[in-house]
């Protein structure tokens, strides 16, 4: 009898069925999202506790490194202007002098730019005796940290309910030229000890980033008639978990045409959201989580 040889092709991806604990502390959204993966991680509150911040900081650092090495994705960090509380005020003002930044707009669904309050409205608020929160009268501005210092930015601003992190493909137009500053020159000039000169130069070239105009075309077309529109450099969606479920597949695909991964601190969801469409990023996520467990990192919500 002729011997029958059976060739089994190698399995693609992981060789075992995944358990929900493989994603822990992230919780994957269940039914209703077949075209993208959405994860939620609970927090004790905003600002988050020190132990939670240490874990998230380590996670984002490892995730950023893998995405850069494997897929040439870059990390861009934004912060909601309305979340610059009294507690953060001094740190923000001090850091603002050391980096380049650009203020654009964040939008919850199709939220409009709030109209400027009239004199009568202001008078009514004052006479009512109620506390006036001027943040209700301004748009949800987003501050983009153009200077690439993710570790420092996470140290200062992570966990306050306002950080948005996007991972995007690299844009060759933003690469700064090689500078003529020799080590001797850097050592002799105090400016190099006081400021991140290379970071500032890189930040200046970041203004050529293609995502700026593309974001306005995707998320700001209905704002074109507003007088503020020409001065808004970018428009980004401020997504909560509910937005993913009520959006159509076509709309979700539109979101991910701008960025590859989306990580947002969501006060309404009482946690952090992580979302992506491409399946290969799931392997990266699982590898990063496994490496952190192996190295003794444990996430606890107190």
């Amino acid at each position: 009898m002729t011997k029958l040889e059976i060739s089994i092709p190698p399995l693609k991806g992981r060789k075992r069925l995944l358990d929900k604990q493989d994603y822990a502390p992230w919780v994957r959204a269940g039914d209703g999202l077949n075209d993208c993966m959405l994860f939620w991680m609970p927090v004790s509150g905003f600002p988050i506790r020190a132990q939670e911040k240490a874990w998230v900081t380590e996670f984002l650092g490892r995730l950023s490194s893998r995405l850069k090495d494997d897929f040439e994705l870059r990390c861009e960090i934004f912060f909601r202007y309305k979340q610059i509380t009294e507690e953060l005020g001094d740190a923000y003002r001090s850091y603002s002098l050391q980096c380049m930044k650009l203020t654009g707009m964040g939008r919850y669904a199709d939220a409009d730019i709030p109209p400027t309050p009239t004199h009568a409205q202001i008078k009514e608020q004052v006479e009512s005796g109620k506390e006036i929160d001027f943040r209700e009268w301004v748009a949800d501005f987003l501050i983009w940290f153009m200077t690439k210092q993710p570790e420092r930015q996470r140290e200062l601003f992570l966990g306050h309910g306002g950080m948005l992190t996007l991972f995007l493909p690299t844009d060759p137009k933003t690469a700064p030229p090689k500078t003529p500053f020799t080590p001797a020159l850097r050592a002799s000039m105090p400016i190099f000890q006081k400021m991140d000169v290379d970071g500032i130069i890189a930040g200046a070239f970041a203004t050529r980033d293609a995502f700026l105009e593309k974001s306005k075309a995707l998320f700001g077309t209905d704002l074109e008639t507003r007088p503020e529109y020409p001065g808004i450099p970018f428009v980004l969606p401020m997504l909560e978990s509910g937005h993913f479920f009520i959006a159509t597949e076509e709309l979700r695909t539109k979101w991910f045409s701008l960025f590859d991964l989306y990580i947002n601190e969501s006060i309404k969801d009482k946690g952090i959201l992580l979302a992506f469409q491409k399946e290969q990023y799931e392997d990266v996520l699982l590898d990063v989580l496994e490496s952190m467990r192996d190295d003794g990192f444990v996430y606890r919500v107190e």
Side-chain angles (χ1 to χ4, degrees):
M1 180 180 294
T2 304
K3 184 178 180 181
L4 180 63
E5 295 185 358
I6 301 176
S7 176
I8 302 177
L11 293 173
K12 294 183 179 180
R14 298 189 171 254
K15 297 182 179 180
R16 60 184 176 85
L17 293 176
L18 292 171
D19 184 86
K20 64 180 181 180
Q21 290 303 316
D22 292 317
Y23 298 113
W26 295 98
V27 179
R28 183 177 175 181
D31 299 334
L33 295 176
N34 298 320
D35 59 300
C36 71
M37 294 186 183
L38 173 65
F39 298 86
W40 169 78
M41 183 170 63
V43 298
S44 57
F46 291 110
I48 62 177
R49 297 180 184 272
Q51 186 274 339
E52 297 166 2
K53 182 170 182 174
W55 191 97
V56 176
T57 299
E58 181 68 22
F59 169 79
L60 290 174
R62 295 191 186 205
L63 181 67
S64 299
S65 180
R66 278 292 305 272
L67 292 172
K68 179 181 178 181
D69 293 343
D70 294 0
F71 301 101
E72 296 185 350
L73 295 184
R74 57 193 167 103
C75 171
E76 300 294 348
I77 295 177
F78 305 80
F79 196 81
R80 283 187 63 203
Y81 173 78
K82 290 183 179 181
Q83 288 305 114
I84 302 176
T85 59
E86 183 177 352
E87 178 185 357
L88 275 181
D90 288 345
Y92 174 74
R93 286 187 289 271
S94 177
Y95 183 67
S96 293
L97 300 175
Q98 306 168 34
C99 74
M100 291 193 66
K101 58 191 184 302
L102 191 65
T103 301
M105 182 178 172
R107 300 188 74 185
Y108 288 91
D110 294 325
D112 200 355
I113 300 174
T116 302
T118 64
H119 176 75
Q121 289 174 319
I122 296 176
K123 182 180 179 181
E124 181 183 354
Q125 283 277 1
V126 172
E127 293 178 348
S128 69
K130 298 179 181 178
E131 183 178 352
I132 299 176
D133 186 354
F134 290 98
R135 291 178 296 182
E136 296 179 359
W137 294 341
V138 298
D140 284 291
F141 293 117
L142 274 177
I143 300 159
W144 175 33
F145 294 114
M146 301 161 69
T147 302
K148 311 307 178 188
Q149 297 175 332
E151 294 83 5
R152 179 61 173 155
Q153 289 152 12
R154 291 176 190 136
E155 177 188 350
L156 292 172
F157 306 113
L158 175 68
H160 289 269
M163 182 170 283
L164 168 64
T165 302
L166 302 182
F167 289 92
L168 304 93
T170 55
D171 186 344
K173 293 187 300 182
T174 65
K178 186 176 181 180
T179 59
F181 308 132
T182 64
L185 179 64
R186 291 173 183 270
S188 66
M189 298 183 67
I191 187 67
F192 286 97
Q193 282 70 55
K194 295 180 180 180
M195 303 183 70
D196 180 8
V197 176
D198 294 315
I200 292 174
I201 294 173
F205 275 81
T207 59
R208 304 166 65 181
D209 204 308
F211 100 83
L212 296 170
E213 285 301 321
K214 185 176 181 180
S215 73
K216 294 180 70 172
L218 288 172
F219 305 111
T221 52
D222 57 327
L223 299 174
E224 291 177 343
T225 59
R226 296 298 301 266
E228 303 95 333
Y229 183 79
I232 300 174
F234 62 86
V235 181
L236 293 174
M238 302 297 296
L239 300 175
E240 299 165 346
S241 60
H243 293 135
F244 284 87
F245 290 99
I246 64 175
T248 63
E249 183 174 335
E250 180 182 7
L251 180 56
R252 290 192 293 264
T253 298
K254 174 182 173 181
W255 297 341
F256 288 104
S257 69
L258 180 66
F259 43 77
D260 280 49
L261 287 90
Y262 183 94
I263 302 177
N264 187 34
E265 295 180 358
S266 174
I267 295 176
K268 186 173 182 179
D269 289 301
K270 299 180 181 179
I272 302 174
L273 302 180
L274 163 64
F276 51 83
Q277 268 195 326
K278 297 178 181 177
E279 292 183 359
Q280 59 261 42
Y281 300 144
E282 182 185 21
D283 280 340
V284 174
L285 171 63
L286 291 165
D287 286 345
V288 168
L289 293 173
E290 185 176 7
S291 73
M292 291 185 67
R293 285 191 288 268
D294 290 344
D295 291 340
F297 287 90
V298 178
Y299 185 80
R300 295 188 181 92
V301 178
E302 300 177 7

